[in-house]
PDB file of all heavy atoms in Angstrom:
ATOM      1  N   THR A 190      38.862-109.631  63.097  1.00 98.00           N
ATOM      2  CA  THR A 190      39.160-108.296  62.834  1.00 98.00           C
ATOM      3  C   THR A 190      38.985-107.450  64.104  1.00 98.00           C
ATOM      4  O   THR A 190      37.890-107.619  64.699  1.00 98.00           O
ATOM      5  CB  THR A 190      38.305-107.674  61.680  1.00 98.00           C
ATOM      6  OG1 THR A 190      38.523-108.356  60.429  1.00 98.00           O
ATOM      7  CG2 THR A 190      38.488-106.207  61.416  1.00 98.00           C
ATOM      8  N   LEU A 191      39.922-106.660  64.469  1.00 98.00           N
ATOM      9  CA  LEU A 191      39.854-105.845  65.701  1.00 98.00           C
ATOM     10  C   LEU A 191      39.741-104.410  65.401  1.00 98.00           C
ATOM     11  O   LEU A 191      40.534-103.867  64.678  1.00 98.00           O
ATOM     12  CB  LEU A 191      41.126-106.129  66.537  1.00 98.00           C
ATOM     13  CG  LEU A 191      41.171-105.456  67.896  1.00 98.00           C
ATOM     14  CD1 LEU A 191      40.107-105.938  68.830  1.00 98.00           C
ATOM     15  CD2 LEU A 191      42.586-105.494  68.518  1.00 98.00           C
ATOM     16  N   LEU A 192      38.679-103.777  66.032  1.00 98.00           N
ATOM     17  CA  LEU A 192      38.425-102.306  65.909  1.00 98.00           C
ATOM     18  C   LEU A 192      38.950-101.657  67.088  1.00 98.00           C
ATOM     19  O   LEU A 192      38.334-101.972  68.184  1.00 98.00           O
ATOM     20  CB  LEU A 192      37.008-102.092  65.615  1.00 98.00           C
ATOM     21  CG  LEU A 192      36.369-102.311  64.249  1.00 98.00           C
ATOM     22  CD1 LEU A 192      36.553-103.741  63.801  1.00 98.00           C
ATOM     23  CD2 LEU A 192      35.001-101.852  64.157  1.00 98.00           C
ATOM     24  N   LEU A 193      39.926-100.867  67.034  1.00 98.00           N
ATOM     25  CA  LEU A 193      40.476-100.189  68.200  1.00 98.00           C
ATOM     26  C   LEU A 193      39.686 -98.937  68.517  1.00 98.00           C
ATOM     27  O   LEU A 193      39.027 -98.373  67.625  1.00 98.00           O
ATOM     28  CB  LEU A 193      41.967 -99.913  67.991  1.00 98.00           C
ATOM     29  CG  LEU A 193      42.945-101.118  67.621  1.00 98.00           C
ATOM     30  CD1 LEU A 193      44.374-100.568  67.436  1.00 98.00           C
ATOM     31  CD2 LEU A 193      42.899-102.028  68.881  1.00 98.00           C
ATOM     32  N   ASP A 194      39.861 -98.456  69.768  1.00 96.00           N
ATOM     33  CA  ASP A 194      39.052 -97.254  70.181  1.00 96.00           C
ATOM     34  C   ASP A 194      39.572 -96.045  69.388  1.00 96.00           C
ATOM     35  O   ASP A 194      38.681 -95.118  69.401  1.00 96.00           O
ATOM     36  CB  ASP A 194      39.261 -97.132  71.737  1.00 96.00           C
ATOM     37  CG  ASP A 194      38.623 -98.280  72.547  1.00 96.00           C
ATOM     38  OD1 ASP A 194      37.766 -98.873  71.990  1.00 96.00           O
ATOM     39  OD2 ASP A 194      39.148 -98.501  73.688  1.00 96.00           O
ATOM     40  N   ASP A 195      40.735 -95.943  68.949  1.00 97.00           N
ATOM     41  CA  ASP A 195      41.272 -94.752  68.226  1.00 97.00           C
ATOM     42  C   ASP A 195      40.937 -94.829  66.749  1.00 97.00           C
ATOM     43  O   ASP A 195      41.356 -94.000  66.066  1.00 97.00           O
ATOM     44  CB  ASP A 195      42.721 -94.621  68.582  1.00 97.00           C
ATOM     45  CG  ASP A 195      43.560 -95.732  67.932  1.00 97.00           C
ATOM     46  OD1 ASP A 195      43.008 -96.686  67.201  1.00 97.00           O
ATOM     47  OD2 ASP A 195      44.767 -95.824  68.184  1.00 97.00           O
ATOM     48  N   GLY A 196      40.052 -95.834  66.405  1.00 96.00           N
ATOM     49  CA  GLY A 196      39.629 -95.856  64.924  1.00 96.00           C
ATOM     50  C   GLY A 196      40.556 -96.809  64.061  1.00 96.00           C
ATOM     51  O   GLY A 196      40.198 -97.053  62.992  1.00 96.00           O
ATOM     52  N   ARG A 197      41.675 -97.138  64.640  1.00 97.00           N
ATOM     53  CA  ARG A 197      42.523 -98.162  63.820  1.00 97.00           C
ATOM     54  C   ARG A 197      41.867 -99.512  63.650  1.00 97.00           C
ATOM     55  O   ARG A 197      41.144 -99.873  64.570  1.00 97.00           O
ATOM     56  CB  ARG A 197      43.954 -98.270  64.379  1.00 97.00           C
ATOM     57  CG  ARG A 197      44.844 -97.096  64.219  1.00 97.00           C
ATOM     58  CD  ARG A 197      46.178 -97.290  64.871  1.00 97.00           C
ATOM     59  NE  ARG A 197      45.974 -97.515  66.327  1.00 97.00           N
ATOM     60  CZ  ARG A 197      46.931 -98.126  67.107  1.00 97.00           C
ATOM     61  NH1 ARG A 197      47.996 -98.530  66.616  1.00 97.00           N
ATOM     62  NH2 ARG A 197      46.644 -98.180  68.480  1.00 97.00           N
ATOM     63  N   VAL A 198      42.190-100.265  62.694  1.00 98.00           N
ATOM     64  CA  VAL A 198      41.656-101.524  62.507  1.00 98.00           C
ATOM     65  C   VAL A 198      42.839-102.541  62.292  1.00 98.00           C
ATOM     66  O   VAL A 198      43.796-102.290  61.450  1.00 98.00           O
ATOM     67  CB  VAL A 198      40.746-101.670  61.265  1.00 98.00           C
ATOM     68  CG1 VAL A 198      40.231-103.044  61.026  1.00 98.00           C
ATOM     69  CG2 VAL A 198      39.573-100.725  61.384  1.00 98.00           C
ATOM     70  N   LEU A 199      42.901-103.624  63.108  1.00 98.00           N
ATOM     71  CA  LEU A 199      43.965-104.657  62.929  1.00 98.00           C
ATOM     72  C   LEU A 199      43.370-105.905  62.253  1.00 98.00           C
ATOM     73  O   LEU A 199      42.309-106.304  62.712  1.00 98.00           O
ATOM     74  CB  LEU A 199      44.525-104.870  64.309  1.00 98.00           C
ATOM     75  CG  LEU A 199      45.217-103.759  65.051  1.00 98.00           C
ATOM     76  CD1 LEU A 199      45.848-104.292  66.334  1.00 98.00           C
ATOM     77  CD2 LEU A 199      46.208-103.012  64.200  1.00 98.00           C
ATOM     78  N   LEU A 200      44.108-106.392  61.319  1.00 97.00           N
ATOM     79  CA  LEU A 200      43.601-107.536  60.581  1.00 97.00           C
ATOM     80  C   LEU A 200      44.559-108.711  60.888  1.00 97.00           C
ATOM     81  O   LEU A 200      45.756-108.572  61.098  1.00 97.00           O
ATOM     82  CB  LEU A 200      43.703-107.292  59.084  1.00 97.00           C
ATOM     83  CG  LEU A 200      43.092-105.956  58.606  1.00 97.00           C
ATOM     84  CD1 LEU A 200      43.226-105.931  57.063  1.00 97.00           C
ATOM     85  CD2 LEU A 200      41.678-105.793  58.974  1.00 97.00           C
ATOM     86  N   ASP A 201      43.969-110.012  60.836  1.00 96.00           N
ATOM     87  CA  ASP A 201      44.728-111.196  60.929  1.00 96.00           C
ATOM     88  C   ASP A 201      45.044-111.580  62.390  1.00 96.00           C
ATOM     89  O   ASP A 201      45.485-110.748  63.146  1.00 96.00           O
ATOM     90  CB  ASP A 201      45.961-111.101  60.027  1.00 96.00           C
ATOM     91  CG  ASP A 201      46.617-112.467  59.974  1.00 96.00           C
ATOM     92  OD1 ASP A 201      46.229-113.284  59.036  1.00 96.00           O
ATOM     93  OD2 ASP A 201      47.535-112.797  60.758  1.00 96.00           O
ATOM     94  N   SER A 202      44.842-112.792  62.702  1.00 97.00           N
ATOM     95  CA  SER A 202      45.133-113.267  64.070  1.00 97.00           C
ATOM     96  C   SER A 202      46.556-113.140  64.527  1.00 97.00           C
ATOM     97  O   SER A 202      46.802-112.781  65.664  1.00 97.00           O
ATOM     98  CB  SER A 202      44.712-114.791  64.145  1.00 97.00           C
ATOM     99  OG  SER A 202      45.581-115.555  63.424  1.00 97.00           O
ATOM    100  N   ARG A 203      47.454-113.236  63.594  1.00 97.00           N
ATOM    101  CA  ARG A 203      48.917-113.052  64.014  1.00 97.00           C
ATOM    102  C   ARG A 203      49.159-111.660  64.462  1.00 97.00           C
ATOM    103  O   ARG A 203      49.900-111.435  65.444  1.00 97.00           O
ATOM    104  CB  ARG A 203      49.839-113.449  62.902  1.00 97.00           C
ATOM    105  CG  ARG A 203      50.035-114.879  62.768  1.00 97.00           C
ATOM    106  CD  ARG A 203      50.996-115.314  61.651  1.00 97.00           C
ATOM    107  NE  ARG A 203      50.270-115.452  60.416  1.00 97.00           N
ATOM    108  CZ  ARG A 203      50.699-116.199  59.379  1.00 97.00           C
ATOM    109  NH1 ARG A 203      51.921-116.760  59.382  1.00 97.00           N
ATOM    110  NH2 ARG A 203      50.019-116.375  58.258  1.00 97.00           N
ATOM    111  N   VAL A 204      48.689-110.709  63.702  1.00 98.00           N
ATOM    112  CA  VAL A 204      48.808-109.226  64.027  1.00 98.00           C
ATOM    113  C   VAL A 204      48.043-108.992  65.420  1.00 98.00           C
ATOM    114  O   VAL A 204      48.630-108.284  66.311  1.00 98.00           O
ATOM    115  CB  VAL A 204      48.404-108.336  62.884  1.00 98.00           C
ATOM    116  CG1 VAL A 204      48.324-106.860  63.323  1.00 98.00           C
ATOM    117  CG2 VAL A 204      49.179-108.596  61.644  1.00 98.00           C
ATOM    118  N   ILE A 205      46.905-109.467  65.490  1.00 98.00           N
ATOM    119  CA  ILE A 205      45.992-109.120  66.659  1.00 98.00           C
ATOM    120  C   ILE A 205      46.688-109.717  67.921  1.00 98.00           C
ATOM    121  O   ILE A 205      46.792-109.134  68.997  1.00 98.00           O
ATOM    122  CB  ILE A 205      44.597-109.482  66.411  1.00 98.00           C
ATOM    123  CG1 ILE A 205      44.035-108.712  65.276  1.00 98.00           C
ATOM    124  CG2 ILE A 205      43.783-109.284  67.755  1.00 98.00           C
ATOM    125  CD1 ILE A 205      42.638-109.214  64.807  1.00 98.00           C
ATOM    126  N   CYS A 206      47.097-110.970  67.736  1.00 98.00           N
ATOM    127  CA  CYS A 206      47.657-111.616  68.986  1.00 98.00           C
ATOM    128  C   CYS A 206      48.858-110.975  69.431  1.00 98.00           C
ATOM    129  O   CYS A 206      49.143-110.665  70.655  1.00 98.00           O
ATOM    130  CB  CYS A 206      47.983-113.149  68.597  1.00 98.00           C
ATOM    131  SG  CYS A 206      46.623-114.150  68.525  1.00 98.00           S
ATOM    132  N   GLU A 207      49.818-110.607  68.413  1.00 98.00           N
ATOM    133  CA  GLU A 207      51.018-109.846  68.900  1.00 98.00           C
ATOM    134  C   GLU A 207      50.631-108.425  69.513  1.00 98.00           C
ATOM    135  O   GLU A 207      51.368-108.044  70.482  1.00 98.00           O
ATOM    136  CB  GLU A 207      51.962-109.687  67.740  1.00 98.00           C
ATOM    137  CG  GLU A 207      53.343-109.176  68.199  1.00 98.00           C
ATOM    138  CD  GLU A 207      54.506-109.507  67.270  1.00 98.00           C
ATOM    139  OE1 GLU A 207      54.264-110.136  66.187  1.00 98.00           O
ATOM    140  OE2 GLU A 207      55.602-109.166  67.606  1.00 98.00           O
ATOM    141  N   PHE A 208      49.656-107.740  69.007  1.00 98.00           N
ATOM    142  CA  PHE A 208      49.206-106.500  69.552  1.00 98.00           C
ATOM    143  C   PHE A 208      48.811-106.641  71.107  1.00 98.00           C
ATOM    144  O   PHE A 208      49.415-105.933  71.963  1.00 98.00           O
ATOM    145  CB  PHE A 208      48.034-105.951  68.743  1.00 98.00           C
ATOM    146  CG  PHE A 208      47.335-104.801  69.420  1.00 98.00           C
ATOM    147  CD1 PHE A 208      47.853-103.542  69.348  1.00 98.00           C
ATOM    148  CD2 PHE A 208      46.199-105.061  70.156  1.00 98.00           C
ATOM    149  CE1 PHE A 208      47.247-102.511  70.066  1.00 98.00           C
ATOM    150  CE2 PHE A 208      45.527-104.006  70.833  1.00 98.00           C
ATOM    151  CZ  PHE A 208      46.055-102.696  70.696  1.00 98.00           C
ATOM    152  N   PHE A 209      48.107-107.639  71.326  1.00 98.00           N
ATOM    153  CA  PHE A 209      47.640-107.836  72.797  1.00 98.00           C
ATOM    154  C   PHE A 209      48.763-108.273  73.599  1.00 98.00           C
ATOM    155  O   PHE A 209      48.861-107.843  74.734  1.00 98.00           O
ATOM    156  CB  PHE A 209      46.526-108.873  72.818  1.00 98.00           C
ATOM    157  CG  PHE A 209      45.145-108.235  72.376  1.00 98.00           C
ATOM    158  CD1 PHE A 209      44.374-108.778  71.408  1.00 98.00           C
ATOM    159  CD2 PHE A 209      44.647-107.174  73.042  1.00 98.00           C
ATOM    160  CE1 PHE A 209      43.162-108.205  71.017  1.00 98.00           C
ATOM    161  CE2 PHE A 209      43.458-106.572  72.712  1.00 98.00           C
ATOM    162  CZ  PHE A 209      42.597-107.074  71.720  1.00 98.00           C
ATOM    163  N   ALA A 210      49.677-109.128  73.035  1.00 98.00           N
ATOM    164  CA  ALA A 210      50.858-109.470  73.948  1.00 98.00           C
ATOM    165  C   ALA A 210      51.730-108.304  74.268  1.00 98.00           C
ATOM    166  O   ALA A 210      52.144-108.134  75.319  1.00 98.00           O
ATOM    167  CB  ALA A 210      51.654-110.576  73.217  1.00 98.00           C
ATOM    168  N   ARG A 211      51.905-107.404  73.250  1.00 97.00           N
ATOM    169  CA  ARG A 211      52.731-106.242  73.470  1.00 97.00           C
ATOM    170  C   ARG A 211      52.019-105.356  74.411  1.00 97.00           C
ATOM    171  O   ARG A 211      52.614-104.711  75.329  1.00 97.00           O
ATOM    172  CB  ARG A 211      52.970-105.524  72.215  1.00 97.00           C
ATOM    173  CG  ARG A 211      54.003-106.167  71.278  1.00 97.00           C
ATOM    174  CD  ARG A 211      54.284-105.333  70.076  1.00 97.00           C
ATOM    175  NE  ARG A 211      55.283-105.938  69.186  1.00 97.00           N
ATOM    176  CZ  ARG A 211      56.130-105.391  68.464  1.00 97.00           C
ATOM    177  NH1 ARG A 211      56.229-104.080  68.469  1.00 97.00           N
ATOM    178  NH2 ARG A 211      56.908-106.012  67.549  1.00 97.00           N
ATOM    179  N   ARG A 212      50.754-105.185  74.299  1.00 98.00           N
ATOM    180  CA  ARG A 212      49.925-104.329  75.186  1.00 98.00           C
ATOM    181  C   ARG A 212      49.979-104.688  76.659  1.00 98.00           C
ATOM    182  O   ARG A 212      50.148-103.872  77.500  1.00 98.00           O
ATOM    183  CB  ARG A 212      48.433-104.380  74.679  1.00 98.00           C
ATOM    184  CG  ARG A 212      47.511-103.408  75.459  1.00 98.00           C
ATOM    185  CD  ARG A 212      46.144-103.374  74.829  1.00 98.00           C
ATOM    186  NE  ARG A 212      45.155-102.514  75.412  1.00 98.00           N
ATOM    187  CZ  ARG A 212      44.299-102.907  76.380  1.00 98.00           C
ATOM    188  NH1 ARG A 212      44.258-104.111  76.807  1.00 98.00           N
ATOM    189  NH2 ARG A 212      43.477-101.948  76.866  1.00 98.00           N
ATOM    190  N   ALA A 213      50.140-106.065  76.910  1.00 98.00           N
ATOM    191  CA  ALA A 213      50.252-106.607  78.206  1.00 98.00           C
ATOM    192  C   ALA A 213      51.699-106.677  78.717  1.00 98.00           C
ATOM    193  O   ALA A 213      51.979-107.023  79.845  1.00 98.00           O
ATOM    194  CB  ALA A 213      49.622-107.965  78.236  1.00 98.00           C
ATOM    195  N   GLY A 214      52.645-106.376  77.818  1.00 97.00           N
ATOM    196  CA  GLY A 214      54.110-106.549  78.205  1.00 97.00           C
ATOM    197  C   GLY A 214      54.500-107.962  78.323  1.00 97.00           C
ATOM    198  O   GLY A 214      55.471-108.283  79.061  1.00 97.00           O
TER     199      GLY A 214
END
Side-chain angles (χ1 to χ4, degrees):
T190 295
L191 180 67
L192 283 62
L193 300 179
D194 293 337
D195 62 8
R197 288 179 295 160
V198 178
L199 298 185
L200 315 182
D201 189 85
S202 64
R203 277 179 274 199
V204 174
I205 297 170
C206 286
E207 188 158 4
F208 167 79
F209 281 121
R211 290 188 179 208
R212 183 174 184 263

